[in-house]
Amino acid sequence: MDTIASLFSFITTPVSWVIVQFHKVYGTIFGPDTGWAWGLSIVSLVILIRICLVPLFVKQIKATRAMQTLQPEMKKIQERYKNDRQRQSEEMMKLYKESGTNPLSSCLPILAQSPFFFALYHVLNGIATGKTIGVINEPLLASARKAHIFGAPLAAKFMDSSDKVAALGATLTDVRVVTAVMIVLMSFSQFYTQRQLMTKNVDTTVKTPFMQQQKMLMYVFPVMFAVFGINFPVGVLVYWLTTNVWTMGQQMYVIHNNPTPGSKAQAAYLDRLTKHVTLHGKVRRRSEKAIVKAIVAKGRDRNEFERKFINALNKAGLAAQADGTVVQSAAQATAQSEDGTATTTATAAAAGAAGRRQQPKRQTKAQRQSGGSKQAGDSPSLEKSDEPEGPKPAAAKQAPKPGSGARSKAQSGQRKGGPQRPKSPSKK
């Protein structure tokens, strides 16, 4: 074990140095030998590490959503090349390359904090065995061994014997109660974090094997934490419990403010955003503008919740813009224009319609003969000629054109309205 720790001294030394610096700060407040000073030093180390991992966490979110989007295509590849594993792997890699997605990106935060967990474990294990490690010297080692958290020493484990626990200045009952509570809280926080991801922040419109894998991990991870937790020192349990609580809170924030498209969390978020925008008539934050901009850019590819959001804005007389802002629509702006412009426009339109020249009705022959058509205000262009409108004489009827049906009948020897002439016998 010492050999392994020496190989990774480039990690254990910085971790131990950070813990010592935090211990100096909290030691002046709570006392250098108290569990509060050492426990808060471990908690502060976790917070510092997780803040440094925020960019990787953002990348993990993007990679996870990209993987969810690619699941239908991946399923098609698996079905198409189910008998050719090599071709299946090649097509998968090609799909990842075209989409710019890396499957390992979703594991980056876990992989990145693993070295720190390894270093902290060896630092606390050195405290438990009474060995100096990193920058923790003999005085600091003695101070850490005296520190207790709710009656349990930092270096104590759930499986330790009563003699070993007594050597650390505690009782076996206190150690097992404290470690059991921490293991339960650690497993529950892990389960709740994964369940929250599955029930609220997953696109419910796409059923893929990825969702089944996540559902399986929801039950596997808590069991793993419970099994391995009984062999972790109290200090390491503090580290993992703080990490899980941070992850749970960080994920709750992301789900509340930047949910996955098509998820239940997005439906709840867009409902809140609709109420705010319709009340104030504008988008208040940059993150909200980014979401509105993405929804507008989708066009016809919007999901059910996004279409409902756009329709709600239209009903309220608002329109989402391509830059993520929200403005009044043209109809709403006309209705709310100043100085009664809308009323004036409507009145002008009605007056224009009434002032248009009325077409006179067609007059009878008697009215035209009595000069009714020459009343004042009538336009000369609308006067009708005095020609009688009786039936036209038969001579005025147009003669049938050559090739018409009448001529065809006459040429065929048929007489209209008279006796039919017998047909001449055909010549053979």
Side-chain angles (χ1 to χ4, degrees):
M1 187 66 67
D2 294 339
T3 304
I4 297 176
S6 61
L7 291 175
F8 291 92
S9 59
F10 68 94
I11 303 175
T12 56
T13 300
V15 169
S16 61
W17 183 85
V18 172
I19 292 178
V20 169
Q21 302 308 311
F22 280 122
H23 177 261
K24 289 181 180 178
V25 175
Y26 294 119
T28 58
I29 301 174
F30 302 101
D33 299 335
T34 60
W36 286 104
W38 286 100
L40 290 176
S41 299
I42 297 173
V43 172
S44 300
L45 173 66
V46 174
I47 295 175
L48 178 63
I49 293 173
R50 295 309 300 266
I51 290 175
C52 295
L53 294 178
V54 166
L56 293 180
F57 180 76
V58 174
K59 193 171 184 179
Q60 178 193 22
I61 293 175
K62 294 180 179 180
T64 303
R65 293 183 180 179
M67 288 294 294
Q68 292 176 355
T69 306
L70 292 178
Q71 286 302 308
E73 297 296 329
M74 293 172 62
K75 189 175 181 180
K76 292 179 181 178
I77 293 175
Q78 291 174 354
E79 292 178 352
R80 185 179 302 174
Y81 304 104
K82 58 183 179 181
N83 296 326
D84 190 349
R85 294 292 183 182
Q86 183 177 357
R87 182 65 183 276
Q88 185 180 121
S89 301
E90 293 176 356
E91 293 295 328
M92 288 287 190
M93 296 304 297
K94 182 179 179 181
L95 179 63
Y96 292 147
K97 186 177 181 181
E98 292 176 353
S99 60
T101 304
N102 187 357
L104 297 178
S105 298
S106 58
C107 303
L108 283 178
I110 298 177
L111 296 176
Q113 72 176 347
S114 295
F116 298 97
F117 167 76
F118 177 83
L120 180 61
Y121 178 82
H122 281 284
V123 169
L124 296 176
N125 188 67
I127 294 174
T129 56
K131 297 179 181 179
T132 59
I133 186 170
V135 298
I136 297 180
N137 51 25
E138 291 292 341
L140 290 174
L141 179 62
S143 175
R145 289 177 66 85
K146 295 178 183 178
H148 290 66
I149 297 178
F150 301 109
L154 288 177
K157 304 177 184 178
F158 182 86
M159 300 300 294
D160 284 347
S161 62
S162 57
D163 295 338
K164 187 173 182 180
V165 172
L168 295 173
T171 62
L172 185 62
T173 302
D174 292 341
V175 171
R176 291 191 173 179
V177 169
V178 172
T179 53
V181 171
M182 286 188 175
I183 291 171
V184 170
L185 292 177
M186 184 175 62
S187 301
F188 175 77
S189 59
Q190 178 65 35
F191 174 79
Y192 182 80
T193 301
Q194 194 68 21
R195 178 179 172 80
Q196 184 179 232
L197 178 65
M198 289 298 302
T199 57
K200 295 183 178 180
N201 206 38
V202 174
D203 188 356
T204 57
T205 60
V206 180
K207 304 295 182 181
T208 61
F210 180 76
M211 295 179 61
Q212 299 297 328
Q213 296 173 3
Q214 294 295 317
K215 187 175 181 179
M216 181 181 66
L217 294 177
M218 181 174 63
Y219 297 98
V220 171
F221 277 160
V223 174
M224 291 176 60
F225 275 106
V227 171
F228 292 112
I230 60 177
N231 293 314
F232 288 160
V234 173
V236 177
L237 292 178
V238 172
Y239 173 86
W240 270 114
L241 180 58
T242 308
T243 298
N244 288 353
V245 172
W246 177 280
T247 302
M248 182 174 61
Q250 186 173 251
Q251 184 169 277
M252 289 177 65
Y253 176 82
V254 171
I255 292 175
H256 187 270
N257 294 282
N258 191 16
T260 300
S263 63
K264 294 181 180 179
Q266 189 194 31
Y269 176 84
L270 292 180
D271 286 341
R272 296 192 303 269
L273 184 59
T274 301
K275 292 178 182 178
H276 172 79
V277 173
T278 53
L279 180 62
H280 300 281
K282 61 180 181 179
V283 180
R284 54 183 178 177
R285 292 185 295 184
R286 185 180 301 177
S287 60
E288 295 175 348
K289 288 184 179 180
I291 290 178
V292 174
K293 181 179 179 180
I295 293 175
V296 173
K298 286 184 178 181
R300 295 184 179 181
D301 295 333
R302 302 185 188 111
N303 58 45
E304 177 184 357
F305 308 129
E306 294 166 347
R307 289 194 297 268
K308 184 179 178 181
F309 170 71
I310 295 297
N311 293 336
L313 292 183
N314 293 337
K315 290 180 180 179
L318 302 172
Q321 304 299 304
D323 60 351
T325 59
V326 175
V327 299
Q328 290 184 348
S329 60
Q332 186 74 3
T334 303
Q336 296 181 357
S337 59
E338 297 179 355
D339 299 330
T341 306
T343 306
T344 305
T345 304
T347 305
R356 287 195 293 267
R357 181 176 297 172
Q358 299 290 335
Q359 296 293 337
K361 296 182 180 180
R362 186 172 182 178
Q363 298 177 346
T364 63
K365 180 179 179 181
Q367 290 175 341
R368 288 197 300 273
Q369 289 177 352
S370 62
S373 61
K374 296 181 181 181
Q375 294 178 357
D378 290 345
S379 175
S381 61
L382 300 175
E383 295 179 358
K384 303 292 181 180
S385 62
D386 294 338
E387 295 179 4
E389 292 187 21
K392 294 182 180 180
K397 294 183 179 179
Q398 294 181 356
K401 295 181 180 180
S404 63
R407 184 175 178 182
S408 300
K409 291 181 180 179
Q411 289 178 351
S412 61
Q414 301 295 329
R415 295 183 179 181
K416 185 176 181 181
Q420 302 297 327
R421 186 172 58 186
K423 298 181 179 179
S424 58
S426 60
K427 298 180 180 180
K428 295 184 179 179

